[in-house]
Amino acid sequence: MTEIGQLPYSSADRGWLRYEKKCSAPYLSGIVYHDSNLGEVTQAAIRELRYAISQMTGTEPTLTTTSVNSSEKSSLHNPHIRLALIDEEGLPEVLQTKLLAEQLEEEGFALKSFPQGEGETVYILGKTEKGLLYGTFHLLRILQTEEDALTELDVFENPKNRLRMMNHWDNMDGSIERGYAGQSIFFKDNRFVENDERIRDYARMMASLGINGISINNVNVHEVETRLITSEFLPDVEKVAAIFRSYGITMYLSVNYASPIQLGGLETADPLDTRVGAWWKAKAEEVYSVIPDFGGFVVKADSEHRPGPFTYGRTHAEGSNMLAEALEPYGGIVIWRCFVYNCLQDWRDRTTDRARAAYDHFKPLDGQFKENVILQIKNGPMDFQVREGVSPLIGAMPHTNQMLEFQITQEYTGQQKHLCYLIPQWKEILDFDTYAHGTHSEIKRVVSGELFPYAYSGITAVINVGDDENWTGHTLAQANLYGYGRLTWNPDLSEEQITAEWIHQTFGTEPDVVDHISSMLADSWEIYENYTSPLGVGWMVNPGHHYGPNVDGYEYSVWGTYHFADCEGIGVNRTVKDGTGYVGQYFPENAERYESLVTCPDKLLLFFHHVPYTHKLHSGSTVIQHIYDTHFAGVEGVNSLIQNWSSLEGKIDDKRYSGVMARLKHQYEHAKEWRDIINTYFYRKSGIADELSRTIY
């Protein structure tokens, strides 16, 4: 029998892989597998089962293979957990069905239980080892979250999205762009870290969510990170790739489009120059010689001073296709970010609109991209704001692969110092009907590849982890990481189910704990929006670091603000009738809804329209009174979060309790600062007093 080692552990917080709930099902006493199918991913699954079962039962499970000699087979007749590929010999006849084999996809799994001796045997079934791994984590999730699920298991799941990725913005000096939980877990002092235990724990956490792809370095590729695709660092990249590989996760790297200049000594990166294409082909050959299962390149080009094909008068299709051709022989893909806009435009010209940029650049190129190019599109046309319109580019290119980009790291939503649960926001976006192919053309159906015959599609996100002991700075911010992963696997999961799963696995099933944390998470997005971002305005943050209130704080402040507030009104006129025309980028059903003040939702009013402060909302309140009311309500909302958490003292370990409380108290003080600065600004702009005569300085 192949020797399977113990699970290595770092000293980091175990997150939702704590396995603290006690279980006593008979089948937890043993694990059975077929030795001939024991690849490294299956070994990872078995190690996880061994560790989890020993934590939950206090007893190490026995390991048995179905290929042992007869004198060792007695344990096969007792209840156990059996990991098996669906084409494996010796499975019960009820599992050897053509229907199961046909319906189970490459990464899908089934959990089935049948009577065995004095209990039940549970089968974890997969078409591939990845399926066995995901099925293992799902079984452990059930054991930790569902009281009555220890018998008669019958679960069948395939992932809805082919690509389920994480984007790290880590720099090799150890810093993380938009990182709010410490330093990089991969890099330090322009080298890879020497101790990889934390990377292994992180890989386990990602595999438990079904994540199957990861890029480990910043899309804004600095000079030292450019060398990740050279012989200097490729052996180190492979060491990290090997860790992720054992958990079913494929490695990608962000690359600098100008690498032929920086690394190759060429004077150009023109995609139509044959020397440039030849350089990338040679580079791809070198990368794949070291990492045969390398996923491909992530590219940010022609945006925020990054180099790209525009320098040479070429299109993004020409630029990305050149890279795609280099990767094509190895099955690699190019993930091309659509975050492309001119950051030096004069925003004082109200016909200029950054929101238009992605659609204007990419929509005309539909059908011109190679099959192994994927366009990565942010969920909104601006930049991960508290609330903004959904990007009209999603679904607008039926002949070009698309994937959706979220941001887990809370750049504009409190930077993991404030509690802001993003699952409700992401659910709204995923469920948004684009009408790209008639009704029921939701974004989740576009990016899953269900709506159009994309060769590649899925969801990715900018991640929120660092080397802080609790991974995310704010312990409750782990819920965003967990929830993102679960939504990429199945976007139809409800917010309530995801929330309950995370709380049960992270804090236990004590009713008061579950109820109070559930309430805090459910309320937190609206609370944060109330004291920061009225009616879809956004952006009112300090330039550069994007933290704290600055009403006129657009990044390139010399060119004005995004909200166009003056003494008469506020908002951006994006209508077709007399605005920037952005609304016309949506399919007609949504364009008509947003164009009209009558049908435009209040929460997005100022994103689409410039209106007087006295404009009456559907709620019956005026715009200016809504601003005052919500900012006062936001502060009270944070106070309610504190009261909720206070009630859990003694029911949660002191370390996590005090850590979260410190964050909430900071949030309360910061919310008051937001309230006072925003309300004062608009009181002075409008000259209209608060109807309730509250103090506004």
PDB file of all heavy atoms in Angstrom, residues 172 190-191 221-234 237 259 263 283:
ATOM      1  N   MET A 172       6.866  40.990  -5.678  1.00  0.00           N
ATOM      2  CA  MET A 172       7.935  40.137  -5.162  1.00  0.00           C
ATOM      3  C   MET A 172       8.688  40.749  -3.992  1.00  0.00           C
ATOM      4  O   MET A 172       9.411  40.044  -3.276  1.00  0.00           O
ATOM      5  CB  MET A 172       8.898  39.755  -6.280  1.00  0.00           C
ATOM      6  CG  MET A 172       8.283  38.755  -7.259  1.00  0.00           C
ATOM      7  SD  MET A 172       9.486  38.032  -8.387  1.00  0.00           S
ATOM      8  CE  MET A 172      10.446  37.015  -7.268  1.00  0.00           C
ATOM      9  N   ASN A 190      12.021  40.183  -2.775  1.00  0.00           N
ATOM     10  CA  ASN A 190      12.256  39.890  -4.195  1.00  0.00           C
ATOM     11  C   ASN A 190      12.683  38.448  -4.459  1.00  0.00           C
ATOM     12  O   ASN A 190      13.341  38.144  -5.463  1.00  0.00           O
ATOM     13  CB  ASN A 190      13.281  40.859  -4.791  1.00  0.00           C
ATOM     14  CG  ASN A 190      12.734  42.269  -4.859  1.00  0.00           C
ATOM     15  OD1 ASN A 190      11.539  42.479  -5.080  1.00  0.00           O
ATOM     16  ND2 ASN A 190      13.589  43.255  -4.656  1.00  0.00           N
ATOM     17  N   ARG A 191      12.275  37.555  -3.557  1.00  0.00           N
ATOM     18  CA  ARG A 191      12.472  36.118  -3.738  1.00  0.00           C
ATOM     19  C   ARG A 191      11.183  35.410  -3.336  1.00  0.00           C
ATOM     20  O   ARG A 191      10.279  36.010  -2.758  1.00  0.00           O
ATOM     21  CB  ARG A 191      13.618  35.591  -2.843  1.00  0.00           C
ATOM     22  CG  ARG A 191      14.928  36.346  -2.915  1.00  0.00           C
ATOM     23  CD  ARG A 191      15.615  36.251  -4.246  1.00  0.00           C
ATOM     24  NE  ARG A 191      15.935  34.879  -4.628  1.00  0.00           N
ATOM     25  CZ  ARG A 191      16.509  34.548  -5.782  1.00  0.00           C
ATOM     26  NH1 ARG A 191      16.807  35.485  -6.658  1.00  0.00           N
ATOM     27  NH2 ARG A 191      16.773  33.301  -6.074  1.00  0.00           N
ATOM     28  N   VAL A 221       2.761  44.495 -13.572  1.00  0.00           N
ATOM     29  CA  VAL A 221       3.977  43.706 -13.439  1.00  0.00           C
ATOM     30  C   VAL A 221       5.195  44.629 -13.390  1.00  0.00           C
ATOM     31  O   VAL A 221       5.492  45.337 -14.348  1.00  0.00           O
ATOM     32  CB  VAL A 221       4.123  42.713 -14.609  1.00  0.00           C
ATOM     33  CG1 VAL A 221       5.341  41.821 -14.407  1.00  0.00           C
ATOM     34  CG2 VAL A 221       2.864  41.867 -14.748  1.00  0.00           C
ATOM     35  N   HIS A 222       5.897  44.603 -12.255  1.00  0.00           N
ATOM     36  CA  HIS A 222       7.100  45.407 -12.114  1.00  0.00           C
ATOM     37  C   HIS A 222       8.304  44.666 -12.700  1.00  0.00           C
ATOM     38  O   HIS A 222       8.206  43.501 -13.097  1.00  0.00           O
ATOM     39  CB  HIS A 222       7.335  45.731 -10.641  1.00  0.00           C
ATOM     40  CG  HIS A 222       6.171  46.408  -9.989  1.00  0.00           C
ATOM     41  ND1 HIS A 222       5.326  45.761  -9.117  1.00  0.00           N
ATOM     42  CD2 HIS A 222       5.690  47.675 -10.121  1.00  0.00           C
ATOM     43  CE1 HIS A 222       4.387  46.608  -8.707  1.00  0.00           C
ATOM     44  NE2 HIS A 222       4.581  47.762  -9.304  1.00  0.00           N
ATOM     45  N   GLU A 223       9.440  45.345 -12.716  1.00  0.00           N
ATOM     46  CA  GLU A 223      10.605  44.788 -13.400  1.00  0.00           C
ATOM     47  C   GLU A 223      11.013  43.429 -12.839  1.00  0.00           C
ATOM     48  O   GLU A 223      11.281  42.490 -13.590  1.00  0.00           O
ATOM     49  CB  GLU A 223      11.784  45.757 -13.306  1.00  0.00           C
ATOM     50  CG  GLU A 223      13.011  45.269 -14.067  1.00  0.00           C
ATOM     51  CD  GLU A 223      14.141  46.280 -14.055  1.00  0.00           C
ATOM     52  OE1 GLU A 223      13.952  47.382 -13.498  1.00  0.00           O
ATOM     53  OE2 GLU A 223      15.217  45.968 -14.597  1.00  0.00           O
ATOM     54  N   VAL A 224      11.037  43.284 -11.523  1.00  0.00           N
ATOM     55  CA  VAL A 224      11.483  42.010 -10.964  1.00  0.00           C
ATOM     56  C   VAL A 224      10.485  40.903 -11.268  1.00  0.00           C
ATOM     57  O   VAL A 224      10.875  39.759 -11.556  1.00  0.00           O
ATOM     58  CB  VAL A 224      11.738  42.136  -9.442  1.00  0.00           C
ATOM     59  CG1 VAL A 224      10.459  42.462  -8.678  1.00  0.00           C
ATOM     60  CG2 VAL A 224      12.392  40.863  -8.901  1.00  0.00           C
ATOM     61  N   GLU A 225       9.167  41.223 -11.231  1.00  0.00           N
ATOM     62  CA  GLU A 225       8.165  40.186 -11.534  1.00  0.00           C
ATOM     63  C   GLU A 225       8.190  39.784 -13.004  1.00  0.00           C
ATOM     64  O   GLU A 225       7.774  38.672 -13.357  1.00  0.00           O
ATOM     65  CB  GLU A 225       6.766  40.661 -11.165  1.00  0.00           C
ATOM     66  CG  GLU A 225       6.496  40.749  -9.682  1.00  0.00           C
ATOM     67  CD  GLU A 225       6.736  42.142  -9.139  1.00  0.00           C
ATOM     68  OE1 GLU A 225       6.351  43.128  -9.802  1.00  0.00           O
ATOM     69  OE2 GLU A 225       7.326  42.254  -8.051  1.00  0.00           O
ATOM     70  N   THR A 226       8.668  40.677 -13.869  1.00  0.00           N
ATOM     71  CA  THR A 226       8.801  40.313 -15.272  1.00  0.00           C
ATOM     72  C   THR A 226       9.684  39.079 -15.425  1.00  0.00           C
ATOM     73  O   THR A 226       9.482  38.253 -16.324  1.00  0.00           O
ATOM     74  CB  THR A 226       9.393  41.492 -16.072  1.00  0.00           C
ATOM     75  OG1 THR A 226       8.537  42.627 -15.946  1.00  0.00           O
ATOM     76  CG2 THR A 226       9.534  41.151 -17.544  1.00  0.00           C
ATOM     77  N   ARG A 227      10.631  38.915 -14.495  1.00  0.00           N
ATOM     78  CA  ARG A 227      11.595  37.812 -14.594  1.00  0.00           C
ATOM     79  C   ARG A 227      11.039  36.477 -14.091  1.00  0.00           C
ATOM     80  O   ARG A 227      11.762  35.467 -14.115  1.00  0.00           O
ATOM     81  CB  ARG A 227      12.871  38.171 -13.818  1.00  0.00           C
ATOM     82  CG  ARG A 227      13.509  39.486 -14.270  1.00  0.00           C
ATOM     83  CD  ARG A 227      14.998  39.547 -13.947  1.00  0.00           C
ATOM     84  NE  ARG A 227      15.311  39.329 -12.556  1.00  0.00           N
ATOM     85  CZ  ARG A 227      15.373  40.289 -11.622  1.00  0.00           C
ATOM     86  NH1 ARG A 227      15.084  41.546 -11.946  1.00  0.00           N
ATOM     87  NH2 ARG A 227      15.707  39.998 -10.374  1.00  0.00           N
ATOM     88  N   LEU A 228       9.775  36.456 -13.669  1.00  0.00           N
ATOM     89  CA  LEU A 228       9.182  35.184 -13.236  1.00  0.00           C
ATOM     90  C   LEU A 228       9.134  34.170 -14.376  1.00  0.00           C
ATOM     91  O   LEU A 228       9.088  32.957 -14.132  1.00  0.00           O
ATOM     92  CB  LEU A 228       7.767  35.417 -12.680  1.00  0.00           C
ATOM     93  CG  LEU A 228       7.685  36.020 -11.282  1.00  0.00           C
ATOM     94  CD1 LEU A 228       6.251  36.395 -10.944  1.00  0.00           C
ATOM     95  CD2 LEU A 228       8.241  35.054 -10.240  1.00  0.00           C
ATOM     96  N   ILE A 229       9.125  34.636 -15.621  1.00  0.00           N
ATOM     97  CA  ILE A 229       9.066  33.719 -16.762  1.00  0.00           C
ATOM     98  C   ILE A 229      10.459  33.439 -17.329  1.00  0.00           C
ATOM     99  O   ILE A 229      10.589  33.004 -18.477  1.00  0.00           O
ATOM    100  CB  ILE A 229       8.135  34.250 -17.865  1.00  0.00           C
ATOM    101  CG1 ILE A 229       8.549  35.655 -18.316  1.00  0.00           C
ATOM    102  CG2 ILE A 229       6.688  34.244 -17.400  1.00  0.00           C
ATOM    103  CD1 ILE A 229       7.768  36.172 -19.530  1.00  0.00           C
ATOM    104  N   THR A 230      11.486  33.655 -16.514  1.00  0.00           N
ATOM    105  CA  THR A 230      12.862  33.363 -16.940  1.00  0.00           C
ATOM    106  C   THR A 230      13.434  32.208 -16.129  1.00  0.00           C
ATOM    107  O   THR A 230      12.877  31.806 -15.100  1.00  0.00           O
ATOM    108  CB  THR A 230      13.762  34.598 -16.772  1.00  0.00           C
ATOM    109  OG1 THR A 230      13.959  34.853 -15.368  1.00  0.00           O
ATOM    110  CG2 THR A 230      13.157  35.825 -17.434  1.00  0.00           C
ATOM    111  N   SER A 231      14.586  31.713 -16.558  1.00  0.00           N
ATOM    112  CA  SER A 231      15.234  30.589 -15.867  1.00  0.00           C
ATOM    113  C   SER A 231      15.627  30.938 -14.441  1.00  0.00           C
ATOM    114  O   SER A 231      15.825  30.048 -13.612  1.00  0.00           O
ATOM    115  CB  SER A 231      16.476  30.148 -16.647  1.00  0.00           C
ATOM    116  OG  SER A 231      17.393  31.235 -16.795  1.00  0.00           O
ATOM    117  N   GLU A 232      15.711  32.240 -14.140  1.00  0.00           N
ATOM    118  CA  GLU A 232      16.057  32.658 -12.784  1.00  0.00           C
ATOM    119  C   GLU A 232      15.008  32.225 -11.774  1.00  0.00           C
ATOM    120  O   GLU A 232      15.342  31.782 -10.659  1.00  0.00           O
ATOM    121  CB  GLU A 232      16.226  34.182 -12.745  1.00  0.00           C
ATOM    122  CG  GLU A 232      16.561  34.742 -11.374  1.00  0.00           C
ATOM    123  CD  GLU A 232      16.662  36.259 -11.369  1.00  0.00           C
ATOM    124  OE1 GLU A 232      16.384  36.889 -12.414  1.00  0.00           O
ATOM    125  OE2 GLU A 232      17.016  36.814 -10.301  1.00  0.00           O
ATOM    126  N   PHE A 233      13.738  32.346 -12.150  1.00  0.00           N
ATOM    127  CA  PHE A 233      12.671  32.082 -11.184  1.00  0.00           C
ATOM    128  C   PHE A 233      11.738  30.934 -11.568  1.00  0.00           C
ATOM    129  O   PHE A 233      10.947  30.495 -10.730  1.00  0.00           O
ATOM    130  CB  PHE A 233      11.830  33.349 -10.978  1.00  0.00           C
ATOM    131  CG  PHE A 233      12.519  34.407 -10.169  1.00  0.00           C
ATOM    132  CD1 PHE A 233      12.807  35.646 -10.721  1.00  0.00           C
ATOM    133  CD2 PHE A 233      12.895  34.166  -8.856  1.00  0.00           C
ATOM    134  CE1 PHE A 233      13.449  36.632  -9.983  1.00  0.00           C
ATOM    135  CE2 PHE A 233      13.541  35.136  -8.104  1.00  0.00           C
ATOM    136  CZ  PHE A 233      13.819  36.378  -8.672  1.00  0.00           C
ATOM    137  N   LEU A 234      11.800  30.435 -12.800  1.00  0.00           N
ATOM    138  CA  LEU A 234      10.873  29.376 -13.195  1.00  0.00           C
ATOM    139  C   LEU A 234      10.955  28.138 -12.294  1.00  0.00           C
ATOM    140  O   LEU A 234       9.908  27.535 -11.977  1.00  0.00           O
ATOM    141  CB  LEU A 234      11.101  28.987 -14.657  1.00  0.00           C
ATOM    142  CG  LEU A 234      10.370  29.855 -15.690  1.00  0.00           C
ATOM    143  CD1 LEU A 234      10.791  29.475 -17.102  1.00  0.00           C
ATOM    144  CD2 LEU A 234       8.844  29.728 -15.534  1.00  0.00           C
ATOM    145  N   VAL A 237       8.801  28.973  -9.421  1.00  0.00           N
ATOM    146  CA  VAL A 237       7.395  28.977  -9.827  1.00  0.00           C
ATOM    147  C   VAL A 237       6.871  27.550  -9.873  1.00  0.00           C
ATOM    148  O   VAL A 237       5.762  27.253  -9.418  1.00  0.00           O
ATOM    149  CB  VAL A 237       7.213  29.669 -11.199  1.00  0.00           C
ATOM    150  CG1 VAL A 237       5.761  29.564 -11.655  1.00  0.00           C
ATOM    151  CG2 VAL A 237       7.629  31.132 -11.141  1.00  0.00           C
ATOM    152  N   SER A 259       7.562  42.612 -22.321  1.00  0.00           N
ATOM    153  CA  SER A 259       8.652  41.703 -21.952  1.00  0.00           C
ATOM    154  C   SER A 259       9.687  41.496 -23.058  1.00  0.00           C
ATOM    155  O   SER A 259      10.883  41.354 -22.757  1.00  0.00           O
ATOM    156  CB  SER A 259       8.076  40.347 -21.522  1.00  0.00           C
ATOM    157  OG  SER A 259       7.378  40.463 -20.303  1.00  0.00           O
ATOM    158  N   LEU A 263      13.123  41.893 -21.423  1.00  0.00           N
ATOM    159  CA  LEU A 263      13.879  40.648 -21.251  1.00  0.00           C
ATOM    160  C   LEU A 263      14.607  40.213 -22.516  1.00  0.00           C
ATOM    161  O   LEU A 263      15.643  39.547 -22.435  1.00  0.00           O
ATOM    162  CB  LEU A 263      12.938  39.510 -20.827  1.00  0.00           C
ATOM    163  CG  LEU A 263      12.186  39.670 -19.507  1.00  0.00           C
ATOM    164  CD1 LEU A 263      11.235  38.484 -19.311  1.00  0.00           C
ATOM    165  CD2 LEU A 263      13.151  39.770 -18.338  1.00  0.00           C
ATOM    166  N   LYS A 283       9.658  31.779 -25.487  1.00  0.00           N
ATOM    167  CA  LYS A 283       9.416  31.914 -24.053  1.00  0.00           C
ATOM    168  C   LYS A 283       8.372  30.903 -23.588  1.00  0.00           C
ATOM    169  O   LYS A 283       8.524  30.285 -22.521  1.00  0.00           O
ATOM    170  CB  LYS A 283       8.967  33.337 -23.735  1.00  0.00           C
ATOM    171  CG  LYS A 283       8.730  33.620 -22.253  1.00  0.00           C
ATOM    172  CD  LYS A 283       9.934  33.265 -21.396  1.00  0.00           C
ATOM    173  CE  LYS A 283      11.154  34.092 -21.756  1.00  0.00           C
ATOM    174  NZ  LYS A 283      12.311  33.695 -20.866  1.00  0.00           N
TER     175      LYS A 283
END
